[in-house]
């Protein structure tokens, strides 16, 4: 048993999309979440910058006594999962790409045309392709970056024509030309536009890594006998810039007002230090 909280982080509010499945499946677990809203988006930044930001946040979570670090961000998972694992060998560090790749390869066959969408950094890293091909070399995988999605989502521009037009701009040709039948939401912000995508492309099967990572968390806690059994810890959500959307999203997810939302201003001077 381990009642300490699980640490989650993302460049912004995207990682929050992992939380509902976790709370449903493991209601005794508590969370410390960090959204780097002051420096989002990560997905078009240099990998050294992403690594420096991520290391800072991992340090912050460890100082907050977390029992596990969950990288609720595809861009960070594609860039520096191993660096964080190396720095904290005693704490389980879980990335989001490998649990999603497991699901994709177990549910797909060579006839499927699998489309991965994500940030520029995630797509250029080919992390999904590599992970999927390791498990099943015969699958057909296509990918395309959608860099405008994250800024729009962080702005709360979701349920309207601007978002629908942006989705069509990125995905119409991609889906048609490659005859995509399975679409992987390879950025934790994208589940927030899942219903738009499902409305526009009715026959697509969607795979949501934000749900798949929760199975991996559970398996890891089980193997290490680290489940919480009811604790005095509370759920705490930090942001480097406490935007209105971030607060609204947390309140929507928890459907309650008794959530502890704290402001944490990262010291940018310490980047790389
Ligand atoms: N939500 C993140 C991901 O899964 C990062 C998006 C960004 O900051 O560009 O990739």
């Amino acid at each position: 048993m381990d009642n300490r909280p699980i640490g989650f982080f993302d460049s912004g509010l995207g990682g929050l999309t992992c939380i509902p499945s976790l709370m449903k499946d493991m209601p005794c677990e508590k969370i410390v979440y960090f959204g780097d809203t002051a420096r989002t988006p990560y997905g078009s930044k240099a990998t050294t910058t992403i690594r420096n930001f991520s290391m800072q946040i991992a340090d912050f979570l460890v100082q907050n006594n977390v029992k596990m670090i969950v990288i609720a961000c595809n861009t960070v998972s594609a860039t520096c999962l191993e660096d964080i694992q190396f720095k904290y060998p005693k704490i389980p560090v879980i990335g989001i790409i490998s649990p999603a790749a497991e699901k994709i390869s177990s549910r797909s066959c060579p006839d499927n045309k699998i489309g991965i969408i994500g940030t520029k950094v995630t797509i250029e890293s080919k992390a999904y392709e590599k992970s999927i091909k390791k498990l099943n070399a015969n699958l057909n995988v296509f990918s395309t970056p959608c860099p405008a999605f994250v800024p729009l989502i962080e702005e709360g521009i979701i349920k309207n024509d601007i978002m629908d037009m942006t989705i069509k701009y990125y995905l119409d040709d991609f889906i048609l030309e490659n005859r995509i039948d399975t679409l992987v939401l390879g950025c934790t912000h994208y589940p927030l536009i899942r219903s738009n995508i499902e409305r526009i492309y009715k026959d697509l099967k969607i795979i949501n890594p934000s749900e798949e990572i929760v199975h991996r968390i559970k398996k890891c806690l089980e193997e290490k006998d680290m489940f919480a059994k009811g604790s005095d810890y509370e759920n705490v959500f930090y942001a480097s810039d406490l935007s209105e959307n971030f607060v609204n999203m947390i309140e929507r997810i928890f459907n309650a007002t008794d959530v502890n939302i704290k402001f944490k201003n990262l010291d940018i001077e310490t980047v790389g230090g």
Side-chain angles (χ1 to χ4, degrees), residues 7-18 32-40 42 53-54 57 61 70-77 96 119 150 154 187-190 192 238-240 246:
F8 280 77
F9 78 96
D10 179 47
S11 64
L13 54 78
L16 294 171
T17 58
C18 304
V32 175
Y33 182 95
F34 191 97
D36 200 0
T37 44
R39 301 187 294 200
T40 196
Y42 280 12
F53 288 174
S54 304
I57 298 168
L61 291 174
V70 178
I71 305 178
C73 176
N74 292 262
T75 307
V76 174
S77 301
I96 197 165
T119 65
V150 169
E154 287 281 336
C187 169
T188 50
H189 283 71
Y190 299 173
L192 295 163
Y238 292 94
S240 47
F246 185 80

Side-chain angles (χ1 to χ4, degrees), residues 115-175:
I116 314 283
I117 54 171
T119 65
K120 267 193 210 158
V121 168
T122 301
I123 298 305
E124 280 167 14
S125 75
K126 301 216 173 295
Y128 267 98
E129 281 90 336
K130 287 178 203 158
S131 257
I132 295 167
K133 297 269 176 192
K134 235 187 253 171
L135 298 166
N136 188 341
N138 298 320
L139 296 180
N140 278 304
V141 184
F142 304 84
S143 60
T144 194
C146 306
F149 285 171
V150 169
L152 288 174
I153 293 168
E154 287 281 336
E155 279 303 320
I157 300 172
I158 295 175
K159 301 221 176 297
N160 59 38
D161 292 347
I162 299 173
M163 180 51 88
D164 286 356
M165 278 161 57
T166 312
I167 291 171
K168 286 161 123 328
Y169 169 75
Y170 284 125
L171 299 187
D172 268 3
D173 291 348
F174 175 66
I175 288 174

Side-chain angles (χ1 to χ4, degrees), residues 40 56 68 101 106 126 137 159 173 196-197 206 225 260 265:
T40 196
Q56 259 190 328
M68 171 187 274
S106 70
K126 301 216 173 295
K159 301 221 176 297
D173 291 348
N196 305 50
I197 295 173
I206 305 277
D225 192 21
N260 190 0
N265 200 3

